[in-house]
Amino acid sequence: MRFSVRLILFFAVTLVAIQGATILTTQAVLRRSAIADGQTQIVAAQARFFRQLAELQDRLAEGVRLLTLDFALRQAIADGDSATVVSALRNHGHRVGASRMMLIAADGTVEGDTATNKTHPFPYPAMLDRAAEEERFGSVAIMDGRPVWLVVVPVMAPDLIAFVAAALPLDDAELRRIHEVAGVPGRIGIAVQAPQAWKRAAGAIDAAVVANLPGDGEPRAFTGSDGNEALAISRPLATPPGDAAVRVILDYPLSEALRQYQFLSLALLPVLGVGLLATLAGVTLIARGVSRPIELLARQTQRIAAGDYGVQPTLPRRDELGQLSVALGTMTSAIAEREQRILFQATHDSITGLANRTAIAAAIDVRLATGPATLLAVGLIRWREITSTVGRDVGDRLLREAAARIVAYMTGGQGAATVARIGENTFAVLLPGDDPAAASAAALRLIDAFDQPYREAELTIDTPVAVGVASAAAGDTDAAQLPRHAEIALAEAVRTETRFAVYRHDSDPYRPERLSLMGEMRAGLTRGEFWLAYQPQLDLRLGKITGAEALIRWNHPTRGPVAPDDFIGLAEETGNIQQLTRWALRAGLTEAKNWQDRGIPIRISVNVSVHDLTDESLPDRIAKLLREKKLSARSLVLEITESAIMREPEAAIEVLRKLDEMGIDLIIDDFGVGQSSLAYLRRLPVREIKFDKSFILNLPKSNNNRSIVRSVIELGHNLAFRVTAEGVEDLETLLILHEFGCDKAQGYFIGKPLPSDALLRLADGWRNPSVIQPRPVVP
C-alpha cells in the first residue's frame, strides 16, 4: 500500500475513531439520562398503583361493612338460616365485584361459602383477630392457587356473632383496570413465590423479570425475553402469616424513555459526516506532497534489497529528504563492498583461503544433481601435538602449506576436484564419479604428497596424513551425510597402518538405526521380548554341571534375533545397561528359584557392568530380590570384568565388599585382557577368576598359551582363587585344563547357551568318563 494511501487512511481511521467515541459517549450519556428518567417514572407509577390498590380495599371493605349492618342478614345468622345467608352473600358479592363471599363463625369455622356447600376452617385466623380489633381488615391472600384481595369485617349484634369475608380476584382484568385508572406506564404483574422459584400469577409481565425478580429499592435494568431492554421494580404485598409471598412487579421499556433523545442522536450524524469529509480533503493534499519523495526513496531501498548496488539517482532537493537521498547512495556503495567481503568469508576458510564446510556442502549438492560423487577427508595426524609444541602461528602456516600441497596434487592439470577445509585439521577433496580404483589412487597420491616434511627456517616437522573415502550416488538429497561418512572413514584410517580407509555402512557406529535401538530396547523389556539363555559350567573336580551363566537374548518383533554385541555395548554407552542388569537379575533369580524348588543344585551367574558397580543401591536391590525369591546368597554369582573395576576402582571396590559381606560369590570375567594383575586382585573381595577365551581357544596347539594358563592356575590357587576357563571347544582342551588343575570349564564342547529346560536335561545327562576322577577341593 502506498505511503500516501496509508497516511490518508491513518487520519481517516483516527477521525472515525474519535467521532465513533463521541457518538458512543453521547449515547451513553443519553442512555443514563433516559434510565434515570425511566426510574423516576416507574417509582411514581408504583406509588400510584398502590394508591389504587388501597382505594380498592376501602371500597370492598365499605361494601362488606354495609352488608354486615343489614338486619335481615344478622337475623338469618342468629337463626342459623344458612341458605338465606349464602343467598345474601352471593347477591352482595355480585354488587361489590367479589368472586367469593364467606360467613365465618366466631370460632373460625366457615359456615356459609359461595364457592362450596361444605363447612371448613377459615385458613387465615390471624385476619379474624385483626378484623375484630380494627373493625375490618384486608390483605392479599392465595385462594385456590390464585392471588385475591381478601377483606374481613366483623358482624356485631351488638356483640360479635360472626365475620363476613369477601375475596376480590387480582387477575389480568383487575390489573388492566388499575393500569388504566392509575395511568401506569409499562406493564403490571403479580408474582407468587413457589417452592422452587417465583411464578407469574397475573398480568402481562415478562417471564425474564419474574425469573430474576428485582428486590425492593431502586429499579433494575434487564433484557426481556423479546430482547428489548426495560426497567423493572417490585414491591411485596402484605399477606397473612404462613401464606406464600406475593409481589407486585412493574416494568418500563427503555425504548419509551429513549424516544425523546433520538432526535439529538440523529442530529449528530450529519455534523460528524461533514467534519470527516473536510478532514479527508485536507489530509489528501498534505499526503501527496510528503509521500512522493518518500516513495522514490522506498523504490531505491527495494533495489538495494534485491541486490542492485548500482548508482542510485538522488532527489533534487536541499531539505532533509534530499540529504537522506544522498546518504542512501553512499550507503549503497558501502553495503556492496561489505557484502562481497562477507560472502567470501562465509564460504571460505580465513587461514587457507579454501572453501569451507558450507561451500563444499553446496558443491556436493550441485555435483550429486548430475551424477555420483566421491569425497576424500584428509586429516593431519599429528596436528594437536604440533600446535601444542610449536604454537598456533606455526600451525597456521603449516595449514596453508598443507592446503597448497593438496590443491597442487588434486587440481593440477585436472580442474575437476574441489578442495575445502572442513575441520581444524581436516581437508576435503570432492571428485566426480564413484570409481573405487580412482578414489584409492587419489588417496594414496595425497598420502605420498605429505611424505616430505614441512620446513620453516631450522624447523622440520613430519606431517603425515590419513585419508577417509566415501561415495554417494546421483540424486542423493542428503549432502550432509557425505562429509560425515568421509570423516568416519578418516577416523578408522588413523588407526590403520595404511592410513587409508573406505566408509562402510555396516561398520558405522553412528547409524541412525542404532540410535532408535535403545528406545526399542526399553519397550522390549516391558513387552517380554527378552529372554535368558543359560551356558552350563562344568565342575572339573566333580565331573558334573554345577553352574550356568545367564546370557541375555532379544527377539525383536521386526528385526528378529538381535545379536548381544549390537545392543549391549550401546546400552553401556548410553547408560541403559542398568535396566538390562535389573531385568536379568530378576529373571535369573526367578529361574534359580524354579531350579531350587525342583531340587536341582545349579548356581546362576549374572554379568554386571561398570554402571552397576558404581550404583550404591545394587547390594540392597539384590538383597531384596533374594528375600523375595527366598534364595540364599550362594545361589547367585556375579561376574565383573577387569575394565569395569579399573574405570572407577574405589567406588567399585566398596560395592563389591558389600556384596561379598552378603555371601555372594564374585568372579573376575575375561581375566588376562584387562589392566590388572593377580597382585592387584588381592585387594578385591573376589573368589574366582575366569580366563578369557583368547587364551583357551588355541590351548592344544600353543605352548605359550599352555605355559601361561598353567602358571596362572597355580598362582591363582596359591592366592586362594578358584579358576574357570571359558572357550572350551573340544575334548583335548578340556583334558588339558583338568590336568592343569583348573576348577571349572565353560564352552561349546560342554554346552551352548540353552533355554532353562534344555539346560536341565543337559545337566542331568552330561557324562564324560574320560575326564576325571574326583580331586581334593582347593580352599
Side-chain angles (χ1 to χ4, degrees):
M1 188 181 294
R2 296 175 60 186
F3 174 74
S4 59
V5 176
R6 292 201 302 272
L7 187 61
I8 294 171
L9 286 178
F10 170 75
F11 279 102
V13 171
T14 302
L15 184 59
V16 169
I18 293 172
Q19 292 178 340
T22 302
I23 292 174
L24 292 176
T25 303
T26 303
Q27 289 182 341
V29 171
L30 295 179
R31 177 182 172 82
R32 283 197 296 269
S33 298
I35 291 175
D37 183 62
Q39 290 174 336
T40 301
Q41 292 195 42
I42 198 170
V43 169
Q46 185 185 62
R48 292 196 299 273
F49 173 80
F50 274 90
R51 284 197 298 271
Q52 285 295 317
L53 208 57
E55 293 176 3
L56 173 64
Q57 176 186 350
D58 291 341
R59 288 197 304 272
L60 182 60
E62 183 61 24
V64 174
R65 190 185 67 82
L66 292 175
L67 175 62
T68 62
L69 297 176
D70 184 70
F71 176 80
L73 176 66
R74 286 186 288 180
Q75 185 63 42
I77 294 172
D79 295 341
D81 187 356
S82 59
T84 302
V85 170
V86 170
S87 176
L89 291 176
R90 183 176 291 108
N91 293 333
H92 196 75
H94 289 162
R95 286 196 295 271
V96 298
S99 61
R100 184 176 183 180
M101 298 290 289
M102 290 175 284
L103 176 66
I104 308 161
D107 62 357
T109 301
V110 178
E111 296 180 343
D113 191 342
T114 59
T116 178
N117 294 326
K118 299 178 180 179
T119 61
H120 56 86
F122 185 63
Y124 307 113
M127 293 185 67
L128 301 179
D129 295 338
R130 293 287 300 275
E133 293 175 2
E134 302 175 10
E135 296 185 355
R136 63 180 183 180
F137 182 73
S139 174
V140 173
I142 304 300
M143 300 188 72
D144 299 328
R146 311 290 291 180
V148 298
W149 191 269
L150 184 63
V151 174
V152 179
V153 178
V155 180
M156 309 296 290
D159 295 328
L160 176 67
I161 60 172
F163 296 92
V164 175
L168 177 67
L170 294 177
D171 53 11
D172 293 352
E174 186 62 28
L175 290 181
R176 281 196 300 271
R177 188 190 67 77
I178 296 175
H179 184 276
E180 294 173 359
V181 173
V184 176
R187 293 169 292 193
I188 302 176
I190 293 179
V192 178
Q193 189 175 31
Q196 301 296 329
W198 288 91
K199 300 295 183 181
R200 186 176 68 86
I205 200 69
D206 194 290
V209 181
V210 178
N212 301 278
L213 193 65
D216 298 337
E218 295 294 326
R220 191 176 68 185
F222 74 98
T223 301
S225 304
D226 56 0
N228 295 322
E229 290 185 295
L231 292 171
I233 189 171
S234 75
R235 180 174 167 182
L237 291 172
T239 56
D243 207 4
V246 178
R247 279 184 172 269
V248 173
I249 307 171
L250 286 83
D251 71 357
Y252 180 66
L254 283 181
S255 57
E256 296 293 331
L258 289 172
R259 185 175 294 115
Q260 58 180 318
Y261 298 103
Q262 288 179 352
F263 174 77
L264 182 58
S265 299
L266 295 175
L268 285 175
L269 295 178
V271 174
L272 295 176
V274 172
L276 176 63
L277 293 176
T279 302
L280 290 178
V283 169
T284 302
L285 294 175
I286 296 172
R288 287 182 179 178
V290 175
S291 64
R292 287 177 181 175
I294 293 178
E295 290 172 357
L296 176 61
L297 294 175
R299 286 193 294 271
Q300 292 179 4
T301 57
Q302 289 171 359
R303 287 197 294 270
I304 295 172
D308 181 5
Y309 301 117
V311 178
Q312 304 291 338
T314 58
L315 292 174
R317 302 170 63 121
R318 305 182 67 179
D319 57 6
E320 291 83 354
L321 291 176
Q323 295 173 9
L324 177 60
S325 177
V326 173
L328 191 60
T330 304
M331 182 185 69
T332 301
S333 301
I335 290 175
E337 295 176 4
R338 283 197 295 271
E339 187 170 289
Q340 291 296 325
R341 187 163 58 252
I342 292 171
L343 181 61
F344 183 85
Q345 292 174 348
T347 56
H348 290 76
D349 175 50
S350 60
I351 296 175
T352 64
L354 295 176
N356 60 13
R357 197 178 192 96
T358 301
I360 198 69
I364 292 172
D365 282 336
V366 174
R367 187 64 56 84
L368 291 179
T370 57
T374 298
L375 190 70
L376 280 60
V378 185
L380 298 175
I381 296 176
R382 300 177 57 224
W383 166 251
R384 296 287 177 87
E385 177 187 352
I386 292 170
T387 55
S388 299
T389 304
V390 300
R392 179 66 67 176
D393 291 341
V394 176
D396 290 347
R397 291 195 289 274
L398 190 152
L399 284 175
R400 284 191 283 271
E401 169 68 17
R405 291 191 191 187
I406 296 174
V407 171
Y409 272 75
M410 297 308 302
T411 62
Q414 298 184 21
T418 302
V419 182
R421 183 187 176 200
I422 60 174
E424 184 182 31
N425 63 322
T426 308
F427 298 88
V429 179
L430 179 63
L431 300 174
D434 56 357
D435 183 4
S440 299
L444 295 175
R445 192 162 63 250
L446 284 171
I447 294 172
D448 292 341
F450 285 85
D451 284 344
Q452 296 298 321
Y454 169 76
R455 291 183 174 83
E456 181 179 323
E458 298 180 357
L459 185 65
T460 301
I461 303 174
D462 288 330
T463 56
V465 297
V467 181
V469 179
S471 299
D476 192 339
T477 58
D478 195 357
Q481 295 302 314
L482 190 56
R484 189 181 71 83
H485 292 168
E487 289 173 324
I488 292 173
L490 173 61
E492 182 181 351
V494 171
R495 297 189 294 268
T496 64
E497 294 182 1
T498 61
R499 292 181 285 157
F500 165 69
V502 178
Y503 173 79
R504 297 187 304 277
H505 178 75
D506 56 356
S507 63
D508 185 351
Y510 307 105
R511 298 192 305 272
E513 55 267 26
R514 292 188 78 233
L515 299 179
S516 64
L517 199 61
M518 283 301 93
E520 296 172 7
M521 185 199 78
R522 290 190 293 270
L525 286 172
T526 61
R527 292 197 295 258
E529 298 171 7
F530 287 83
W531 61 285
L532 288 179
Y534 303 93
Q535 187 167 24
Q537 296 174 337
L538 177 67
D539 190 317
L540 296 178
R541 297 189 306 270
L542 303 177
K544 63 181 181 179
I545 293 171
T546 59
E549 180 180 0
L551 301 172
I552 195 165
R553 296 293 185 262
W554 185 5
N555 284 331
H556 195 281
T558 57
R559 302 173 188 263
V562 181
D565 291 343
D566 289 344
F567 66 89
I568 290 180
L570 185 58
E572 289 182 339
E573 294 173 13
T574 58
N576 288 301
I577 191 67
Q578 288 180 300
Q579 297 185 43
L580 286 178
T581 303
R582 294 174 185 177
W583 179 88
L585 283 169
R586 177 170 289 277
L589 290 175
T590 300
E591 198 60 49
K593 173 63 175 174
N594 180 38
W595 297 341
Q596 175 181 284
D597 293 343
R598 296 169 65 177
I600 302 172
I602 296 180
R603 304 174 73 195
I604 187 167
S605 299
V606 178
N607 294 277
V608 293
S609 71
V610 61
H611 296 283
D612 299 306
L613 291 182
T614 57
D615 182 5
E616 296 179 355
S617 65
L618 179 64
D620 293 334
R621 282 206 315 274
I622 292 178
K624 182 179 179 181
L625 280 173
L626 290 172
R627 289 194 302 270
E628 179 184 326
K629 302 300 180 183
K630 298 180 180 178
L631 293 171
S632 69
R634 291 284 299 164
S635 303
L636 176 65
V637 179
L638 296 181
E639 299 192 11
I640 308 104
T641 62
E642 294 177 76
S643 58
I645 300 174
M646 292 302 178
R647 188 174 298 182
E648 294 188 42
E650 298 305 323
I653 290 173
E654 182 63 27
V655 172
L656 291 176
R657 284 176 179 165
K658 292 181 180 179
L659 293 169
D660 179 62
E661 291 171 359
M662 294 167 55
I664 296 173
D665 280 354
L666 305 173
I667 298 178
I668 296 296
D669 195 11
D670 297 336
F671 181 79
V673 297
Q675 305 170 359
S676 66
S677 64
L678 281 171
Y680 179 79
L681 293 180
R682 290 292 295 167
R683 293 182 53 199
L684 303 177
V686 298
R687 303 176 185 177
E688 187 173 328
I689 58 175
K690 181 187 285 189
F691 263 115
D692 184 72
K693 63 182 179 181
S694 61
F695 294 98
I696 306 301
L697 290 175
N698 295 319
L699 193 61
K701 300 178 181 179
S702 174
N703 293 327
N704 288 337
N705 279 7
R706 285 199 297 273
S707 298
I708 293 172
V709 170
R710 181 195 295 272
S711 299
V712 173
I713 290 175
E714 292 177 355
L715 184 56
H717 285 165
N718 291 335
L719 295 175
F721 288 132
R722 292 188 296 275
V723 182
T724 298
E726 64 178 347
V728 179
E729 305 294 319
D730 51 53
L731 177 61
E732 186 177 0
T733 301
L734 186 65
L735 293 174
I736 293 172
L737 292 170
H738 177 258
E739 179 186 347
F740 289 169
C742 188
D743 298 289
K744 291 191 294 184
Q746 177 179 339
Y748 280 15
F749 178 73
I750 299 166
K752 296 181 179 181
L754 301 168
S756 176
D757 291 342
L759 170 72
L760 298 182
R761 289 194 298 271
L762 176 67
D764 181 62
W766 202 92
R767 298 287 186 274
N768 199 323
S770 62
V771 173
I772 19 182
Q773 299 304 325
R775 296 185 276 105
V777 176
V778 176

